[in-house]
């Protein structure tokens, strides 16, 4: 498993992380199998959120880790908060209360990373700063980040912080590559050239923030998976060709495409299938050629001018 540095820290993390949203649906023995496979393949970074399974994903994870007797220092745990029933909430009170609940469900004393989940337009940066300071000083959270936020939102939050945000979770993959397409269509009056995200890709590189790619195999907004989908025959034909060339699976090629970008993006995979986890881990060792990367990009529906 290839490692990358987490944001501006010197901490090394696997380039592939396991998203635990679906873990609440598993029997305990199956959750153990998923985590054992992950760790055996160098994936020791686990992404949670307090809303996943209404907290049950975190509980199931804790039960499985306890069953496996994995030392806490051998794994990295990230969780997110801020989404409530019908609204978003970055208030100091809610952040602090959420973290206490997360730690209790995960049966741990600290989070390696806490990320704010989705932008709360009613946020007060000073409240966020007070919450982060307390969480850090009490040892409950070591590093902080955000999810689905643009450059100006990050700037607004960071202006009040005593910490640097180290991650930003963004949807990214072969069928959701707008933040790459925009950069190659600047000054063009076409769909791909619309300035939607404020240049978040380049901004993240300049700010040394790790982009964490969520739903990397989805198209649209949870419309489905493009891999093996006959609606995307051209893309899947090229993926299959590349899979044979590099000796990996189609999932591996889709992951390798993300990993190839010099922004050192961390791909969050949400599969609970041990075989697929192994396949993705294997693909982390390959590096697509520049020609192959651009061929996949174009096969996914994007154009070069």
């Amino acid at each position: 498993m290839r490692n990358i540095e987490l944001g501006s820290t010197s901490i090394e993390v696997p380039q592939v992380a396991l998203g635990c949203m679906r873990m609440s649906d598993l029997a305990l023995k199956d959750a153990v199998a998923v985590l054992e496979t992950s760790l055996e393949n160098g994936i020791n970074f686990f992404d949670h959120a307090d809303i996943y399974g209404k907290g049950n994903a975190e509980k199931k994870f804790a039960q499985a880790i306890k069953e496996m007797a994995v030392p806490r220092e051998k794994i990295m745990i990230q969780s997110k908060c801020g989404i409530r029933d019908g609204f978003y909430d970055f208030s100091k009170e809610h952040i602090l209360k959420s973290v206490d609940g997360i730690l209790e469900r995960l049966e741990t004393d600290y989070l390696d990373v806490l990320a704010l989940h989705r932008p709360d337009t009613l946020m007060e940066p000073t409240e966020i700063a007070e919450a982060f300071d307390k969480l850090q000083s009490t040892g409950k959270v070591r590093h902080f980040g955000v999810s689905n936020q643009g450059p100006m939102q990050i700037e607004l939050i960071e202006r009040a912080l005593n910490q640097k945000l180290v991650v930003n979770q963004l949807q990214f993959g072969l069928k959701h590559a707008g933040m790459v397409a925009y950069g190659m269509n600047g000054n063009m009056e076409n769909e791909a050239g619309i300035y939607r995200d404020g240049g978040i890709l380049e901004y993240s590189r300049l700010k040394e923030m790790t982009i964490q790619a969520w739903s990397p195999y989805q198209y649209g907004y949870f419309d489905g998976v493009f891999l093996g989908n006959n609606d995307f025959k051209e893309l899947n034909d090229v993926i299959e060709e590349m899979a044979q060339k590099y000796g990996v699976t189609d999932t591996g090629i889709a992951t390798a495409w993300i990993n190839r970008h010099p922004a050192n993006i961390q791909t969050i995979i949400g599969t609970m299938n041990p075989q697929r986890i192994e396949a993705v881990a294997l693909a982390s060792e390959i590096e697509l050629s520049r020609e192959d990367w651009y061929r996949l990009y174009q096969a996914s529906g994007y154009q070069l001018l």
Side-chain angles (χ1 to χ4, degrees):
M1 172 60 61
R2 180 189 172 204
N3 286 338
I4 59 174
E5 287 190 350
L6 183 69
S8 58
T9 75
S10 59
I11 300 170
E12 289 198 345
V13 297
Q15 189 159 24
V16 174
L18 185 71
C20 299
M21 183 172 69
R22 298 179 179 88
M23 189 160 285
S24 59
D25 298 330
L26 300 181
L28 179 58
K29 65 179 180 62
D30 295 326
V32 168
V34 165
L35 295 179
E36 284 180 341
T37 303
S38 297
L39 293 172
E40 288 168 1
N41 286 276
I43 301 173
N44 69 340
F45 191 106
F46 302 99
D47 176 66
H48 292 270
D50 57 0
I51 63 166
Y52 292 167
K54 297 182 178 179
N56 289 319
E58 291 170 332
K59 290 181 180 179
K60 185 64 62 68
F61 177 87
Q63 292 168 2
I65 288 293
K66 181 185 290 185
E67 176 115 338
M68 296 160 61
V70 177
R72 176 65 179 88
E73 64 272 15
K74 297 295 184 181
I75 59 176
M76 297 195 69
I77 304 177
Q78 170 177 282
S79 196
K80 302 180 293 292
C81 71
I83 298 179
R84 301 186 67 177
D85 188 11
F87 63 104
Y88 301 147
D89 190 350
F90 288 178
S91 66
K92 176 182 177 181
E93 179 184 13
H94 181 68
I95 293 171
L96 295 176
K97 182 178 179 180
S98 295
V99 170
D100 285 342
I102 290 168
L103 295 177
E104 181 178 355
R105 289 188 295 273
L106 287 170
E107 298 183 37
T108 185
D109 296 328
Y110 69 95
L111 292 176
D112 294 283
V113 183
L114 172 72
L116 299 177
H117 206 176
R118 291 282 174 186
D120 174 16
T121 194
L122 302 181
M123 68 180 178
E124 293 286 356
T126 53
E127 281 198 50
I128 296 173
E130 289 172 4
F132 283 9
D133 284 347
K134 185 168 184 178
L135 291 170
Q136 189 174 62
S137 66
T138 55
K140 293 180 178 180
V141 178
R142 295 186 172 179
H143 301 282
F144 301 89
V146 293
S147 176
N148 304 291
Q149 301 207 24
M152 290 301 99
Q153 292 166 318
I154 293 168
E155 287 286 328
L156 180 61
I157 294 172
E158 278 201 333
R159 188 177 70 168
L161 295 182
N162 293 309
Q163 305 83 12
K164 191 169 183 180
L165 298 172
V166 298
V167 301
N168 187 11
Q169 288 195 1
L170 299 163
Q171 187 176 6
F172 183 66
L174 273 165
K175 289 301 296 180
H176 197 101
M179 63 183 177
V180 165
Y182 163 76
M184 291 190 283
N185 286 270
N187 198 37
M188 296 293 105
E189 294 183 2
N190 57 16
E191 177 72 14
I194 296 175
Y195 194 61
R196 288 187 171 89
D197 59 24
I200 189 63
L201 179 62
E202 293 76 19
Y203 173 87
S204 299
R205 295 180 73 179
L206 288 168
K207 296 282 287 187
E208 297 182 292
M209 287 185 72
T210 295
I211 291 175
Q212 296 177 325
W214 58 267
S215 290
Y217 317 121
Q218 295 273 338
Y219 66 94
Y221 182 71
F222 291 111
D223 291 337
V225 176
F226 61 80
L227 293 172
N229 188 325
N230 289 331
D231 290 340
F232 308 103
K233 185 177 185 307
E234 179 185 358
L235 174 58
N236 280 289
D237 284 348
V238 176
I239 288 175
E240 180 58 31
E241 178 187 331
M242 298 292 177
Q244 293 182 22
K245 175 180 177 178
Y246 289 95
V248 295
T249 65
D250 57 352
T251 308
I253 289 297
T255 308
W257 186 84
I258 297 171
N259 293 351
R260 175 63 175 83
H261 198 281
N264 283 328
I265 297 167
Q266 186 182 44
T267 303
I268 299 178
I269 60 171
T271 182
M272 295 288 107
N273 182 314
Q275 289 73 36
R276 194 163 292 132
I277 293 171
E278 289 180 349
V280 170
L282 178 64
S284 74
E285 298 296 330
I286 71 171
E287 182 171 319
L288 296 177
S289 70
R290 188 180 296 263
E291 180 182 9
D292 288 344
W293 190 94
Y294 274 105
R295 189 171 170 214
L296 285 161
Y297 173 77
Q298 292 177 82
S300 69
Y302 295 97
Q303 295 180 345
L304 298 182
L305 300 179

